[in-house]
Amino acid sequence: MATRKKTQAAQTEAAAEETPKKAASKKPAAKKAAKKKTAAKKVSAKKKTAARRRGADGDELPTVDADAEEEVPERRGKGPHYLVVVESPAKAKTIKKYLGTGYTVKASVGHVKDLPKSKIGVDVEHDFQPEYTVIKGKEKVLNELKKMAKTVDRVFLATDPDREGEAIAWHIKEELGHPDSLRVTFNEITKRAVQDAIAQPRQLNQDNYDSQQTRRILDRLVGYQISPLLWKKIRRGLSAGRVQSVAVRLIVEREAEIKAFQPEEYWTLDALVQGPQGPPPFKAKLSRVDGKRVELKDRATTDGLVAELKDAPFTVAKVDRKERRRNAPAPFITSKLQQEAANRLHFTAKKTMTLAQKLYEGVPLGEEGQTALITYMRTDSTRLSDDAVTQVRDFIGKKFGADYLPAEPMVYKSRKGAQDAHEAIRPTSLEYPPERVRPFFDAMDELDMFRLYELIWNRFVACQMKAAVYDQTSADITAGRATFRASGSTLKFPGYLGVYGAGLTPEEEAAAEKAKAAGEEGAEDAVGELPPLNEGEVLSLDRLLNEQHFTQPPPRFSEATLVKELEERGIGRPSTYAAILSNIQDKKYVEKLESRFRPTDLGQMTNEMLVKHFPHEMDVTFTASMEEKLDQISDGGASWKTVLHDFYGPFKETLEKAEAEMRDVKREEIKTDIACEKCGNPFVIKFGKMGHFLACSNYPDCKNTKDFKRDAEGKIVIVEEETTDEKCEKCTKPMVIKRGRFGRFMACSGYPDCKTSKPISIGVNCPECKVGYLTERRSGRGKIFFGCNRYPECKFAAWDRPLAEQCPQCASPYLLQKFSKRDGAYIACPNKECDYRREVVEQGVPGGAAEAAPASPPPAVA
């Protein structure tokens, strides 16, 4: 259009030059053409500027060209003009669909201002006045927003509906300086929700902003004053945090419990019996002896009871038949979503929240364009809107029938202390069932995002369905002075399980473990049907099964159980859990092995220092009480300055004392009576990147080092290097096994003169390239996987350990050692078209076998 106008203007000018009189007679027309030419140039310039602003995906980014003149954009069209500011470009694209002409939607791309990185940025002498500065790289974003704000009648600040979003909106308002800037919030990005929010704007909430600002200042005071102390005393690059350090403490203390745990022997006795109708036999567990609960502590007691009962008649004394109901779980809150995604999908908390953010902001659904699929994903409330409940009840009635629909809507209580600011996490509309949107996710190659959406959808539908009903049968069987108990249950009515599946939720698993630990009858009820039994019937004994067991230590935390622990103790907020778990791994305080967190030497050392010198700040109850105070500020019940004054006085005294008394681990050398075999000088204990180690005191003249461990009495025992039969390819010296940051590897024993190293084979040839061999490797997040030693030439990788065994069914050159919560350890063929599978026969040992990692897709090796 602009090109056509430019051509018309040029033709008019040419005609005026050829015939001056004619041009003079048409002077008004010439002036009009000249104006068109000027307008065309402006339009063309704007298009070029817009093209320069386009991102890689073609969307306009909220930036301004550095060379562009600072001109106020001209208003186009009639009527009022509005600027809507959101946080992300994806969210801006979705919201733009729902607003008519006159609305411009721009993204701030998160925070635009923050405390400076180069200094503490808080004036503690003047009521903790913060010094906010524009974040580096956000100047262009703000310049663009300022230019747009000069041309509009009103600015709507539509950042996320939480305290963090309130702070972002506050800072944007300060920078834009528009006299008519109002706050709008919505729990879901739907046409109705967005338009209702725009129609009912409000002023910014001072209390929410103060609460967020208090959290930010607290974290800065703790982090920027304790972290330098750790740099000075332990190692550069360390950090301490009001919440993250407490999370590390939980992991360290759990590890201490495990190390201090002493296994105790116990035995179980089961009877394999048959009813009058014959096989198959069923199992009954020993319940009582002489009417009292019995604990079999040793083999002698168990064998004596076996000898006593093997010839005794087994008689059915009592049969109980009853219905058992399993109620539907509540809709997702943030923490429960993270736990279930970890249990069912094997997602990290960080991955779960990243995918949920995208589902909230919107994904492209073909002709419908960018569409938000779930409500706001940071919430602690199980509340659902009346409209949502009405829609899902209608959906359940039509799809599953009236039998699955409760007479009244299901209402769930939120936990004590919940802010209840937003609804539970749910689909924005039931017009987008998983089967309808699956093709769009497939086209984007976003299977994991689809799986998370399907989980949220199923949980929401299930929460408004009837309970599952089981027929449960229990039978007491007497034999001499012993009573055995057999139990079984069958699903009578699936209820919500028809949507959500039979897997236990974290809450149900915790309740089952608690009942089992308390020794409650029925805590280990079997799933399956018992044969028809009647009181007084005599059963035939096939055999008595006596097994030895050992008590197990408390399990290490997984992502799901650590999130659950943090939530139950009131530490932090669910919206921060993903960042906490990522940070403590990035800082190498903990590592994740076989899907469980273990503290590193660095984590244990740092925790020991912090707990000793900052007992109040690192106390779990202190962290939880601080969260309550932040809630009080948000509710208008406390002054943010008072909270900071109450905290900082004692903290400053503790900090000064810690600086004077904390051990200087960096320079610390603990003398030992062990002599260096190379120069005869004594070894000293030092602390380095890999933890504590022995180093020759004659360093740097002698650079000899050794790994060590302590025996039961605390005595130092040198861990000798593991030798191999393999010779170095360069110098022919023996290769030894060493440990590095990514696990074990082979190195030349002639180091440092010879620096040859290579990965360790697991005894399986690479099935892909047929040239290399498979080695145990560790991802950047610390998870073990198995890959070819010829990487990057060969990129074969697998999470499960390959075995050098050919599949007997399809002749696959290797099998996989797998593990699942339901089936335990088993061996299976990697060929998806082959169904070969067998159980793993494990030898019972005190303490049990190590848990294997759950099956997952192979890692993308970069």
Side-chain angles (χ1 to χ4, degrees):
M1 183 69 181
T3 304
R4 186 164 66 246
K5 289 181 178 180
K6 184 175 180 180
T7 304
Q8 290 171 348
Q11 290 173 346
T12 304
E13 283 187 341
E17 289 177 3
E18 289 179 5
T19 54
K21 288 183 180 179
K22 189 175 181 181
S25 65
K26 295 185 178 180
K27 194 173 182 179
K31 286 183 178 180
K32 188 175 182 181
K35 288 181 180 179
K36 285 184 177 181
K37 178 181 177 181
T38 304
K41 286 182 178 179
K42 287 183 179 179
V43 171
S44 179
K46 286 177 183 177
K47 285 193 172 183
K48 288 178 181 177
T49 302
R52 286 196 298 270
R53 292 179 191 154
R54 293 187 191 281
D57 57 357
D59 299 329
E60 286 194 22
L61 301 177
T63 60
V64 63
D65 188 82
D67 300 326
E69 294 182 7
E70 290 296 326
E71 295 180 357
V72 179
E74 295 181 6
R75 290 181 55 151
R76 298 180 185 178
K78 298 179 180 179
H81 285 63
Y82 306 108
L83 172 63
V84 181
V85 183
V86 297
E87 287 186 38
S88 73
K91 189 175 176 182
K93 188 184 294 185
T94 307
I95 291 174
K96 179 61 180 173
K97 287 198 320 176
Y98 305 134
L99 299 175
T101 57
Y103 287 89
T104 300
V105 186
K106 291 289 182 181
S108 70
V109 197
H111 280 276
V112 294
K113 295 173 71 175
D114 196 8
L115 300 174
K117 286 188 175 182
S118 58
K119 56 183 179 179
I120 195 167
V122 179
D123 189 349
V124 295
E125 302 297 331
H126 296 87
D127 279 342
F128 303 96
Q129 188 64 35
E131 178 190 336
Y132 290 108
T133 59
V134 175
I135 297 172
K136 186 177 180 181
K138 289 298 181 74
E139 296 87 352
K140 292 184 177 181
V141 174
L142 277 174
N143 287 339
E144 177 75 3
L145 292 175
K146 287 176 182 178
K147 285 179 66 177
M148 292 302 306
K150 292 176 182 178
T151 69
V152 299
D153 299 287
R154 174 175 287 180
V155 175
F156 292 107
L157 303 167
T159 48
D160 285 353
D162 55 12
R163 296 173 190 170
E164 206 77 16
E166 200 76 20
I168 294 173
W170 198 280
H171 292 155
I172 291 173
K173 180 182 179 181
E174 287 179 341
E175 288 297 311
L176 299 189
H178 196 284
D180 193 2
S181 296
L182 295 174
R183 181 82 163 106
V184 293
T185 58
F186 30 78
N187 185 54
E188 60 188 39
I189 307 177
T190 58
K191 185 174 183 178
R192 178 178 175 179
V194 171
Q195 291 183 349
D196 285 351
I198 293 291
Q200 299 175 14
R202 62 168 173 81
Q203 297 295 327
L204 271 73
N205 188 308
Q206 178 78 52
D207 294 330
N208 279 344
Y209 174 64
D210 287 344
S211 178
Q212 190 278 338
Q213 181 169 253
T214 305
R215 178 190 293 276
R216 187 73 189 94
I217 293 173
L218 275 170
D219 291 342
R220 177 56 64 98
L221 292 174
V222 172
Y224 269 51
Q225 295 188 83
I226 297 182
S227 297
L229 189 58
L230 298 179
W231 286 32
K232 181 180 177 182
K233 302 289 188 177
I234 302 178
R235 198 178 87 188
R236 283 188 65 84
L238 301 184
S239 68
R242 188 177 50 86
V243 178
Q244 77 166 40
S245 297
V246 176
V248 173
R249 180 177 184 175
L250 294 176
I251 296 170
V252 170
E253 290 179 347
R254 176 60 59 88
E255 193 69 19
E257 287 181 57
I258 294 170
K259 288 182 178 179
F261 182 80
Q262 296 295 324
E264 294 183 5
E265 180 185 9
Y266 72 96
W267 288 71
T268 57
L269 181 59
D270 298 336
L272 202 61
V273 294
Q274 293 184 33
Q277 71 281 1
F282 61 93
K283 187 183 290 187
K285 295 179 178 293
L286 178 66
S287 174
R288 296 180 296 278
V289 174
D290 294 328
K292 300 178 181 178
R293 291 187 58 82
V294 62
E295 292 184 357
L296 305 177
K297 293 291 188 180
D298 51 57
R299 179 185 290 274
T301 304
T302 308
D303 287 348
L305 194 58
V306 169
E308 179 184 336
L309 299 178
K310 65 180 181 179
D311 296 322
F314 280 71
T315 307
V316 178
K318 179 182 177 183
V319 178
D320 287 331
R321 296 182 178 88
K322 60 183 178 180
E323 277 190 354
R324 180 170 64 87
R325 293 178 176 273
R326 184 176 166 189
N327 294 321
F332 279 132
I333 59 175
T334 303
S335 57
K336 293 298 184 286
L337 175 63
Q338 292 172 2
Q339 293 172 51
E340 279 288 75
N343 286 337
R344 296 193 176 214
L345 307 179
H346 309 303
F347 290 175
T348 63
K350 181 178 181 180
K351 180 175 182 177
T352 298
M353 296 309 292
T354 299
L355 295 178
Q357 181 81 36
K358 293 179 180 178
L359 290 170
Y360 167 69
E361 292 174 349
V363 295
L365 297 183
E367 294 180 356
E368 296 186 49
Q370 198 84 358
T371 305
L373 292 178
I374 67 169
T375 55
Y376 193 53
M377 65 286 156
R378 295 186 182 93
T379 177
D380 57 9
S381 172
T382 56
R383 173 173 50 84
L384 295 169
S385 70
D386 292 340
D387 287 345
V389 171
T390 300
Q391 289 179 29
V392 74
R393 284 177 60 82
D394 184 58
F395 173 83
I396 294 168
K398 290 178 179 177
K399 183 164 184 176
F400 298 96
D403 290 343
Y404 287 79
L405 195 63
E408 298 292 333
M410 304 294 292
V411 179
Y412 298 90
K413 290 183 178 179
S414 297
R415 67 179 179 84
K416 184 180 179 181
Q419 296 176 25
D420 200 36
H422 317 294
E423 282 188 68
I425 304 169
R426 62 168 175 81
T428 55
S429 172
L430 292 175
E431 295 178 7
Y432 303 109
E435 59 271 16
R436 179 183 171 189
V437 299
R438 174 70 184 263
F440 301 106
F441 286 99
D442 288 342
M444 295 185 291
D445 194 24
E446 288 284 3
L447 176 60
D448 285 345
M449 197 189 303
F450 169 77
R451 293 169 67 202
L452 185 65
Y453 176 64
E454 185 177 43
L455 182 68
I456 294 169
W457 171 281
N458 290 343
R459 178 85 165 215
F460 172 59
V461 174
C463 82
Q464 291 299 317
M465 296 178 73
K466 281 187 176 179
V469 181
Y470 291 86
D471 275 336
Q472 183 168 302
T473 304
S474 300
D476 285 346
I477 301 166
T478 58
R481 60 194 184 97
T483 301
F484 290 78
R485 186 174 182 85
S487 58
S489 62
T490 55
L491 186 63
K492 179 180 180 181
F493 174 68
Y496 80 93
L497 296 180
V499 173
Y500 199 59
L504 294 179
T505 64
E507 298 90 335
E508 291 172 329
E509 283 186 347
E513 286 295 324
K514 188 175 180 180
K516 184 178 176 181
E520 295 179 11
E521 288 194 2
E524 298 183 74
D525 283 343
V527 176
E529 197 169 1
L530 288 178
L533 296 174
N534 296 302
E535 293 181 8
E537 286 182 338
V538 178
L539 308 177
S540 59
L541 175 67
D542 273 21
R543 62 184 183 276
L544 290 167
L545 307 172
N546 56 325
E547 294 184 9
Q548 182 189 39
H549 306 273
F550 291 88
T551 55
Q552 298 295 307
R556 293 182 175 91
F557 288 112
S558 65
E559 288 229 356
T561 55
L562 183 56
V563 166
K564 186 173 185 292
E565 188 80 7
L566 292 171
E567 180 188 30
E568 289 181 348
R569 290 176 176 247
I571 301 170
R573 283 293 172 203
S575 59
T576 66
Y577 292 160
I580 291 169
L581 300 192
S582 293
N583 201 40
I584 61 178
Q585 292 177 79
D586 293 341
K587 294 295 182 182
K588 307 300 181 185
Y589 294 136
V590 303
E591 57 185 352
K592 196 193 290 184
L593 298 174
E594 298 173 344
S595 300
R596 300 280 172 168
F597 288 118
R598 303 185 191 207
T600 61
D601 278 355
L602 177 63
Q604 290 179 325
M605 171 65 70
T606 306
N607 178 72
E608 177 189 336
M609 295 291 201
L610 291 176
V611 171
K612 180 178 180 180
H613 295 283
F614 298 92
H616 179 62
E617 290 77 10
M618 296 299 123
D619 188 78
V620 172
T621 56
F622 165 77
T623 307
S625 66
M626 187 57 69
E627 293 296 336
E628 293 179 2
K629 291 179 181 177
L630 293 174
D631 289 343
Q632 291 171 8
I633 295 171
S634 182
D635 295 335
S639 164
W640 69 278
K641 293 181 181 179
T642 301
V643 169
L644 288 172
H645 276 289
D646 291 344
F647 161 77
Y648 193 69
F651 173 72
K652 187 178 180 180
E653 293 179 7
T654 304
L655 186 68
E656 292 171 351
K657 187 177 179 182
E659 191 150 7
E661 298 178 357
M662 186 179 285
R663 285 167 51 198
D664 192 345
V665 179
K666 283 175 72 172
R667 296 170 178 80
E668 186 177 68
E669 295 182 354
I670 303 174
K671 291 183 179 180
T672 72
D673 56 2
I674 302 172
C676 172
E677 76 278 10
K678 292 186 178 181
C679 69
N681 286 288
F683 274 118
V684 294
I685 299 174
K686 288 188 173 185
F687 187 80
K689 290 183 178 180
M690 302 301 297
H692 285 100
F693 66 98
L694 291 175
C696 181
S697 57
N698 194 29
Y699 178 86
D701 294 331
C702 180
K703 298 180 179 179
N704 189 19
T705 61
K706 295 283 185 181
D707 285 335
F708 75 93
K709 63 181 180 180
R710 294 186 183 273
D711 61 18
E713 298 176 356
K715 186 178 179 181
I716 294 174
V717 178
I718 292 178
V719 179
E720 296 294 343
E721 291 180 335
E722 187 179 342
T723 59
T724 69
D725 296 331
E726 194 166 338
K727 301 293 183 183
C728 175
E729 299 170 355
K730 293 183 179 179
C731 69
T732 70
K733 288 185 178 179
M735 300 289 282
V736 295
I737 306 297
K738 287 186 175 287
R739 180 173 59 93
R741 58 184 298 196
F742 296 113
R744 302 193 328 149
F745 65 97
M746 261 194 288
C748 180
S749 57
Y751 180 86
D753 297 327
C754 179
K755 298 182 179 179
T756 302
S757 65
K758 60 191 296 187
I760 300 174
S761 171
I762 64 169
V764 181
N765 293 328
C766 178
E768 191 166 302
C769 70
K770 309 289 194 300
V771 177
Y773 56 84
L774 299 187
T775 69
E776 182 178 298
R777 299 171 63 185
R778 191 176 296 179
S779 69
R781 305 294 299 187
K783 186 173 181 180
I784 291 174
F785 70 97
F786 305 90
C788 182
N789 73 306
R790 295 181 62 247
Y791 175 83
E793 286 81 9
C794 176
K795 296 185 179 179
F796 174 85
W799 287 123
D800 303 300
R801 177 179 283 273
L803 302 176
E805 183 180 342
Q806 189 179 70
C807 176
Q809 289 185 190
C810 71
S812 167
Y814 70 102
L815 296 174
L816 292 175
Q817 184 175 321
K818 289 177 166 283
F819 179 89
S820 72
K821 286 186 176 180
R822 185 185 67 184
D823 304 323
Y826 64 96
I827 293 171
C829 180
N831 185 358
K832 293 182 179 179
E833 298 177 357
C834 178
D835 60 357
Y836 176 75
R837 172 174 171 155
R838 73 170 187 264
E839 293 182 358
V840 174
V841 180
E842 298 182 1
Q843 299 296 323
V845 293
E851 180 182 325
S856 304
V861 181

